[in-house]
Amino acid sequence: SMSLREHALSLFRTAVGTVQPARMLRRAVKLQGYGCPQLLVKGQAFPVKRDLYLVGFGKAVLGMAAAAEEILGDHLIRGIINVPLGIQESLQQAGMQEMLLKPHSKIQVIEGAKNNLPDPEALKGAVAIQELVEGLTEDDLLLVLISGGGSALLPAPIPPILLKEKEELTKTLAARGAAIQELNIVRKTLSVLKGGGLARLAYPAQVVSLILSDVIGDPLDIIASGPTTASSHSIQDCLQILTKYNLRHHLPASVERVLSRAPSKPTAPEDLSHVCNVIIGSNTLALEEAKRQAEGLGYAALILSAAVCGEVGRVAALYCQLIRLICLRSAGLGEGPLGQEVRGSLLRLAAELEIPGLNLPEFLLALQGLGPERPVCILAGGETTVQLQGTGKGGRNQELALRVGLELHKAQVAEGSGPPGSMEVVFLSGGTDGQDGPTEAAGAVCSPELVDEALREGLDAEAFLSNNDSYTFFSQFQGGHHLLLTGLTGTNVMDIQAILIRA
């Protein structure tokens, strides 16, 4: 029978496969009928009255565009996409031909945003996209492809603001402690295309936006700074933020000018009723597919949350207590004093972390109903944060996996090999884009036994963690076979975690 590790890897691959650009597009989009064809998007029909155009920006957009062009065929007149620098070459080298456009494609590819920062190349692409959408008529249909990383690829400051000036202002705000939400409000206010700008410029054409979400909770106005979503913020909000960080009187003249202009009456309807935004891929979707596969493998499977966030040590502690509780339950000790203690600490951690939409008491009830004899699979997703202290190599996923393995090992030792001692436990954490920090690993698979084996060989997991060196730790064993090596995946819906437990 397959090992738990093999099962975990297989579930991760399934989750990532579900949000591959081509598969997502084929699930969501169809073109039907001749004469006056219709574009069907998740069951909604949009007549192709005249011409069909395509624009896109983001890290996964190249693969999305390749699939879209195949579906749209000759109806597509022209397209422009803005993608990260070097991505075509990377995909070519990885042998991922299906993510690349065909030789005589109608879609122009512009690469920019080196190191995920707006640069002159990204600006050139943004301007080309702006010019294309401004020329559309009410009989045209514009398909917009959006994925994470789209924000840096769509910089178009409102004239006369220069890209450099906008960047400086954002950097200064960040240095003064502005939160990411505040930075985004300022960026959007000073931008031509963000915060619904792209959709307003495309009016009166029908706009259909297909979105791959890499943000917790899939908020449309945050993903790539919401170019096709009405902004919930005004110039007033922007001014308030600048005042809060004492920048009102130190602004470049160009920014002063833009902020003092009375907003000209927009011609597009404020509710952007000519736009349809559709999320075609997200962490939730990936987790649901992995859950189906886990059930097929005989597991009782539950999804904890698709919005796990917080400091990696706290999140590891939450997973560890959850695993301990499941092991105690299956040993019939769930209601005993130790079970009560673990449950209490689990509820405390969940309250501290404030994971959006996580109702832990409800989840624990569902867990109780699973029946003790089947192996258990708990799936989750989101994005943790790591406070870097050391100089080692690793990423948030490898660090999370090692921390969970270490905490479980400590609990086993403290309890004299009681549960989870009698149970087999494996924990996986991986980035769906195939990358985790500065290494070639996407994440790692860990177990308390691995930590034990390391100690016997004189390797101290704690020392590796305090140096943020999880990658080096995992590399020491069986040729790194606990590392998750997927290569570039061409998609991104944040991270995925899987807990597998069996007697």
Side-chain angles (χ1 to χ4, degrees), residues 94-346:
M96 298 171 79
Q97 297 304 325
E98 72 284 359
M99 299 239 181
L100 295 165
L101 295 168
K102 300 279 178 284
H104 303 294
S105 170
K106 290 179 185 164
I107 299 172
Q108 177 191 355
V109 181
I110 297 171
E111 292 193 358
K114 188 179 176 181
N115 300 328
N116 204 20
L117 295 167
D119 57 16
E121 289 309 306
L123 179 59
K124 203 174 83 181
V127 169
I129 286 173
Q130 182 183 341
E131 285 169 356
L132 185 148
V133 304
E134 280 177 328
L136 301 179
T137 72
E138 64 182 320
D139 288 335
D140 294 322
L141 180 55
L142 176 69
L143 198 57
V144 184
L145 308 176
I146 301 177
S147 78
S151 196
L153 288 160
L154 205 63
I158 298 173
I161 302 174
L162 301 174
L163 185 60
K164 208 166 70 229
E165 294 175 318
K166 189 173 154 186
E167 284 311 288
E168 280 304 308
L169 180 59
T170 317
K171 272 198 196 118
T172 310
L173 273 168
R176 294 196 180 182
I180 182 74
Q181 289 81 357
E182 295 177 311
L183 293 177
N184 280 337
I185 290 171
V186 173
R187 274 194 202 123
K188 275 192 225 179
T189 311
L190 304 178
S191 164
V192 176
L193 299 171
K194 294 176 177 154
L198 179 77
R200 281 192 288 275
L201 291 175
Y203 184 78
Q206 170 71 56
V207 179
V208 179
S209 236
L210 306 178
I211 302 166
L212 176 60
S213 168
D214 70 332
V215 183
I216 282 183
D218 308 335
L220 290 173
D221 61 328
I222 304 283
I223 303 163
S225 300
T228 55
T229 312
S231 176
S232 43
H233 307 290
S234 64
I235 286 192
Q236 271 334 99
D237 297 321
C238 176
L239 290 170
Q240 251 171 340
I241 292 163
L242 295 170
T243 306
K244 176 176 165 184
Y245 295 101
N246 297 324
L247 287 171
R248 271 301 286 280
H249 305 299
H250 311 282
L251 295 174
S254 58
V255 175
E256 284 279 6
R257 261 179 68 187
V258 167
L259 290 176
S260 63
R261 276 186 215 154
S264 55
K265 186 81 197 83
T267 45
E270 227 5 79
D271 60 354
L272 299 187
S273 50
H274 63 300
V275 181
C276 174
N277 287 305
V278 185
I279 298 227
I280 61 168
S282 65
N283 193 280
T284 304
L285 221 84
L287 290 173
E288 281 166 358
E289 189 56 42
K291 177 175 186 268
R292 268 198 288 280
Q293 194 204 349
E295 287 166 348
L297 290 169
Y299 288 87
L302 287 174
I303 295 173
L304 178 69
S305 163
V308 173
C309 53
E311 197 277 314
V312 68
R314 312 301 297 150
V315 174
L318 178 86
Y319 283 139
C320 178
Q321 299 296 29
L322 181 57
I323 292 165
R324 289 180 67 200
L325 189 61
I326 294 168
C327 292
L328 286 165
R329 281 240 164 97
S330 63
L333 303 170
E335 299 309 314
L338 185 57
Q340 293 301 343
E341 183 195 321
V342 170
R343 185 190 163 96
S345 105
L346 186 58

Side-chain angles (χ1 to χ4, degrees), residues 5 8-9 12 401 426-430 444-446 484 496-499:
R5 189 185 78 87
L9 291 172
F12 180 75
V426 153
F427 177 85
L428 172 147
S429 187
V445 184
C446 198
L484 190 50
I496 285 190
Q497 283 99 40
I499 298 168

